[in-house]
């Protein structure tokens, strides 16, 4: 076992970026030390608006994980550009990345979706390099997916296409994140609810109403893919970046929230389930057919659902770190020859918040959201919005995590992590 001083300097330096999602939205740029420590270098305004502490999904005046989303910041593989959503006003910002990692705002463009009420819901972006296409996902539809073209100098232009994840009998679904497959032939969209909590409402104690009557008949769960087998949306991508007709497939668990592809097996992906309380591993062939394996659950004795909503895959495809919103911690999985198995559950102690936020299972939560794993797999960075912390963990060989530092971030509103 390495001693603490060795563990504290086991990584490589680099850069990390987080979106504040404040009303005057900004990107915080950190220098990452070889020991995992973060030093803030700059805060660069996006030119757009975040939702602040307001949570459009539930209508709460102040709560973490505003949009029930992930991947609101992406960096191009050549490290030339950074794109981020501005959920408050439904726009996207484009930044150039300098040699020193510093950002320069290039452009801000509306997604084309109107803002209705206190905030928009633009929340996730994915970039397709071969056609220089940016896909922008919104929590609420009907136009969940909008498409932008990116010029050689990073300027954005809105395209007329618009796509939905609604179905004939589910006209108000909530999406979570958008991902382009490594072969750039398919676009994945995760989902969380078939109806948003802001419309189903809250019980007097503040807990969300997750079971509603359908057309005055039997009660049903509003969690997507629970049980209707249509929670994962897959769109074929044309040569010019345009999307074909989407297909809805069985996500194999309640609320297939997060999708992440492996690095060395580009046809293989993992899914994290907000209501399914675990993860699966699946594959996709060139024709878009998917085969998803069994759900591997974490320990749910603290209450369900656990809201296992985010994941980071190690560069060697051996470990997956899964964030549990409801439990205020992280669990880890090991990828073996057959699929997934629990490595360390939980992988770290619960991080307390200020007691004002609750998960779907009623537990008090610190609102962990997006995570990011350093390219050398040495450090995992985890947002805890209700605790106003960005925590750095040193990864351990047994899958556990050891906190080595944290920095203060804005309360309740930050989302999105990207770096190199």
């Amino acid at each position: 076992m390495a001693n603490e001083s060795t563990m504290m300097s086991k990584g490589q330096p680099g850069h990390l970026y987080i979106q504040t999602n404040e009303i005057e939205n900004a990107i915080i740029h950190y220098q990452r030390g070889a020991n995992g420590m973060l030093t803030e270098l700059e805060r660069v305004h996006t030119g757009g608006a975040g939702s602040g502490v307001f949570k459009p999904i539930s209508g709460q005046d102040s709560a973490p994980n505003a949009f029930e989303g992930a991947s609101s910041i992406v960096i191009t593989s050549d490290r030339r550009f950074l794109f981020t959503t501005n959920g408050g006003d439904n726009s996207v910002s484009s930044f150039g990345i300098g040699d020193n990692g510093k950002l320069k705002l290039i452009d801000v463009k509306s997604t084309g979706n109107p803002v209705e009420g206190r905030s928009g819901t633009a929340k996730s972006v994915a970039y397709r390099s071969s056609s220089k296409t940016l896909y922008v996902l919104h929590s609420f539809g009907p136009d969940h997916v909008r498409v932008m073209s990116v010029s050689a100098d990073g300027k954005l232009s809105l395209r007329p296409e618009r796509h939905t994840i609604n179905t004939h009998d589910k006209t108000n679904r909530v999406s979570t994140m958008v991902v382009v497959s490594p072969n750039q032939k398919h676009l994945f969209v995760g989902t969380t609810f078939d109806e948003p909590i802001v419309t189903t409402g809250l019980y007097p104690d503040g807990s969300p109403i997750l079971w509603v009557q359908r057309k005055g008949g039997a009660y049903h769960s509003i969690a997507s893919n629970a049980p209707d087998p249509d929670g994962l949306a897959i769109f074929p991508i044309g040569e010019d970046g345009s999307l074909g007709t989407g297909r809805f497939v069985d996500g194999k668990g309640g609320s297939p929230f997060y999708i992440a592809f492996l690095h060395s097996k580009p046809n293989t992906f993992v899914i994290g389930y907000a209501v399914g309380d675990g993860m699966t591993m699946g594959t996709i062939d060139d024709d878009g057919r998917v085969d998803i394996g069994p759900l591997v659950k974490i320990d749910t004795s603290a209450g369900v659902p656990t809201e296992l909503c985010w994941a980071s895959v190690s560069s060697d495809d051996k470990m997956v770190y899964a964030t549990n919103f409801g439990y205020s911690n992280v669990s880890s999985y090991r990828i073996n020859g057959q699929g997934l198995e629990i490595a360390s559950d939980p992988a770290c102690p619960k991080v307390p918040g200020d007691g004002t936020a609750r998960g779907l299972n009623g537990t008090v939560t610190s609102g962990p959201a997006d995570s990011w794993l350093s390219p050398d797999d040495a450090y995992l960075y985890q947002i805890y919005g209700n605790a106003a912390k960005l925590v750095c963990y040193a990864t351990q060989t047994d899958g556990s995590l050891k906190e080595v530092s944290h920095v203060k971030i804005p309360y309740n509103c930050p989302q999105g992590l990207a770096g190199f």
Side-chain angles (χ1 to χ4, degrees):
M1 187 73 177
N3 60 39
E4 183 170 341
S5 62
T6 301
M7 291 166 54
M8 288 291 287
S9 60
K10 68 176 184 175
Q12 299 296 321
H15 300 270
L16 183 62
Y17 306 88
I18 184 174
Q19 177 194 161
T20 67
N21 187 39
E22 295 167 302
I23 298 299
E24 187 175 3
N25 198 13
I27 300 293
I28 306 177
H29 169 205
Y30 297 100
Q31 174 76 50
R32 293 189 299 109
N35 60 359
M37 304 290 281
L38 297 177
T39 302
E40 184 175 329
L41 296 183
E42 57 180 347
R43 295 194 182 200
V44 185
H45 291 297
T46 66
S51 70
V53 297
F54 174 63
K55 186 168 183 172
I57 289 290
S58 60
Q60 293 167 280
D61 286 331
S62 181
N65 187 21
F67 305 107
E68 298 281 352
S71 190
S72 68
I73 304 174
V74 295
I75 295 172
T76 57
S77 58
D78 59 9
R79 298 180 184 172
R80 289 188 61 209
F81 303 118
L82 179 148
F83 305 110
T84 187
T85 58
N86 299 297
D89 62 10
N90 282 348
S91 67
V92 174
S93 299
S94 169
F95 292 87
I97 303 176
D99 292 339
N100 55 4
K102 290 196 173 182
L103 300 178
K104 181 179 181 180
L105 182 63
I106 296 173
D107 202 4
V108 187
K109 282 291 190 302
S110 169
T111 68
N113 282 13
V115 174
E116 300 175 355
R118 292 173 59 179
S119 173
T121 63
K123 60 149 140 212
S124 181
V125 284
Y127 180 66
R128 184 176 188 259
S129 59
S130 60
S131 57
K132 296 182 172 56
T133 309
L134 191 69
Y135 304 96
V136 190
L137 186 68
H138 302 74
S139 300
F140 299 156
D143 302 326
H144 291 91
V145 183
R146 298 303 303 265
V147 185
M148 292 182 173
S149 293
V150 181
S151 69
D153 59 357
K155 293 290 183 65
L156 305 171
S157 57
L158 181 66
R159 291 166 48 159
E161 302 104 300
R162 54 191 74 200
H163 300 270
T164 189
I165 63 160
N166 289 339
T167 65
H168 175 72
D169 61 344
K170 297 169 184 173
T171 59
N172 204 12
R173 302 184 92 188
V174 179
S175 62
T176 57
M177 71 177 299
V178 61
V179 182
V180 173
S181 63
N183 66 6
Q184 305 197 28
K185 291 184 176 181
H186 299 96
L187 187 82
F188 281 60
V189 180
T191 63
T192 182
F193 300 122
D194 287 334
E195 297 179 42
I197 290 173
V198 71
T199 61
T200 61
L202 304 173
Y203 290 111
D205 66 356
S207 60
I209 297 173
L210 299 179
W211 289 81
V212 299
Q213 281 184 296
R214 178 173 287 168
K215 297 180 180 179
Y219 279 84
H220 70 99
S221 167
I222 66 168
S224 61
N225 217 101
D228 297 340
D230 60 358
L232 184 62
I234 302 175
F235 297 84
I237 306 177
E239 289 295 327
D240 63 351
S242 60
L243 301 181
T245 302
R247 295 186 302 110
F248 298 96
V249 303
D250 187 356
K252 300 295 185 178
S255 300
F257 190 106
Y258 196 97
I259 305 110
F261 280 85
L262 302 193
H263 304 281
S264 61
K265 295 180 179 179
N267 70 327
T268 304
F269 56 89
V270 294
I271 303 177
Y273 298 85
V275 175
D277 309 319
M279 299 197 77
T280 62
M281 179 176 289
T283 58
I284 181 170
D285 65 20
D286 287 345
D287 294 326
R289 292 186 293 265
V290 297
D291 180 17
I292 300 174
L295 181 66
V296 182
K297 290 192 175 188
I298 61 170
D299 179 359
T300 62
S301 57
V304 294
T306 66
E307 295 180 82
L308 189 151
C309 293
W310 296 268
S312 291
V313 181
S314 64
S315 63
D316 59 8
D317 291 335
K318 292 183 178 180
M319 298 292 299
V320 185
Y321 299 93
T323 303
N324 303 302
F325 180 88
Y327 287 180
S328 305
N329 61 20
V330 178
S331 300
S332 66
Y333 286 80
R334 184 169 285 105
I335 300 175
N336 57 37
Q338 288 73 45
L340 294 166
E341 62 183 11
I342 297 292
S344 183
D345 177 33
C348 62
K350 180 177 180 177
V351 173
D354 68 356
T356 62
R358 290 184 180 273
L360 294 178
N361 62 23
T363 58
V364 176
T365 177
S366 56
D370 293 84
S371 68
W372 183 78
L373 186 62
S374 60
D376 52 26
D377 302 327
Y379 298 102
L380 181 78
Y381 298 87
Q382 177 66 61
I383 294 173
Y384 292 93
N386 190 252
K389 288 181 180 181
L390 175 59
V391 174
C392 170
Y393 295 104
T395 60
Q396 309 296 300
T397 55
D398 63 354
S400 64
L401 299 167
K402 180 177 181 180
E403 181 177 343
V404 295
S405 68
H406 68 266
V407 293
K408 184 177 180 180
I409 56 176
Y411 172 71
N412 263 354
C413 56
Q415 60 178 46
L417 286 174
F420 55 88

mmCIF file of all heavy atoms in Angstrom, residues 8 135 237 381 409:
data_model
loop_
_atom_site.group_PDB
_atom_site.id
_atom_site.type_symbol
_atom_site.label_atom_id
_atom_site.label_comp_id
_atom_site.label_asym_id
_atom_site.label_seq_id
_atom_site.Cartn_x
_atom_site.Cartn_y
_atom_site.Cartn_z
ATOM 1 N N MET A 8 -0.458 11.414 -2.702
ATOM 2 C CA MET A 8 -0.768 12.812 -2.905
ATOM 3 C C MET A 8 -0.082 13.398 -4.123
ATOM 4 O O MET A 8 -0.297 14.542 -4.471
ATOM 5 C CB MET A 8 -0.401 13.606 -1.653
ATOM 6 C CG MET A 8 -1.333 13.370 -0.477
ATOM 7 S SD MET A 8 -2.975 14.062 -0.736
ATOM 8 C CE MET A 8 -2.612 15.814 -0.539
ATOM 9 N N TYR A 135 -24.904 19.020 -30.771
ATOM 10 C CA TYR A 135 -26.270 18.655 -30.404
ATOM 11 C C TYR A 135 -26.555 19.199 -29.010
ATOM 12 O O TYR A 135 -25.761 19.006 -28.083
ATOM 13 C CB TYR A 135 -26.442 17.139 -30.432
ATOM 14 C CG TYR A 135 -26.067 16.547 -31.775
ATOM 15 C CD1 TYR A 135 -24.798 16.011 -31.989
ATOM 16 C CD2 TYR A 135 -26.972 16.544 -32.834
ATOM 17 C CE1 TYR A 135 -24.436 15.491 -33.216
ATOM 18 C CE2 TYR A 135 -26.616 16.027 -34.073
ATOM 19 C CZ TYR A 135 -25.349 15.502 -34.258
ATOM 20 O OH TYR A 135 -24.990 14.994 -35.479
ATOM 21 N N ILE A 237 -27.244 9.037 -37.257
ATOM 22 C CA ILE A 237 -26.661 10.312 -37.677
ATOM 23 C C ILE A 237 -26.197 10.204 -39.125
ATOM 24 O O ILE A 237 -25.463 9.283 -39.491
ATOM 25 C CB ILE A 237 -25.471 10.708 -36.790
ATOM 26 C CG1 ILE A 237 -25.863 10.707 -35.308
ATOM 27 C CG2 ILE A 237 -24.949 12.090 -37.180
ATOM 28 C CD1 ILE A 237 -24.708 11.032 -34.366
ATOM 29 N N TYR A 381 -13.073 13.999 -9.456
ATOM 30 C CA TYR A 381 -13.616 15.265 -8.963
ATOM 31 C C TYR A 381 -15.134 15.175 -8.969
ATOM 32 O O TYR A 381 -15.738 14.774 -9.973
ATOM 33 C CB TYR A 381 -13.135 16.423 -9.830
ATOM 34 C CG TYR A 381 -11.633 16.583 -9.792
ATOM 35 C CD1 TYR A 381 -10.823 15.878 -10.670
ATOM 36 C CD2 TYR A 381 -11.024 17.416 -8.854
ATOM 37 C CE1 TYR A 381 -9.440 16.001 -10.618
ATOM 38 C CE2 TYR A 381 -9.647 17.546 -8.800
ATOM 39 C CZ TYR A 381 -8.858 16.827 -9.688
ATOM 40 O OH TYR A 381 -7.485 16.951 -9.630
ATOM 41 N N ILE A 409 -17.500 26.096 -4.207
ATOM 42 C CA ILE A 409 -18.168 26.456 -5.455
ATOM 43 C C ILE A 409 -19.493 27.124 -5.109
ATOM 44 O O ILE A 409 -19.958 27.034 -3.968
ATOM 45 C CB ILE A 409 -18.401 25.228 -6.359
ATOM 46 C CG1 ILE A 409 -19.194 24.150 -5.619
ATOM 47 C CG2 ILE A 409 -17.080 24.680 -6.879
ATOM 48 C CD1 ILE A 409 -19.561 22.941 -6.469
#
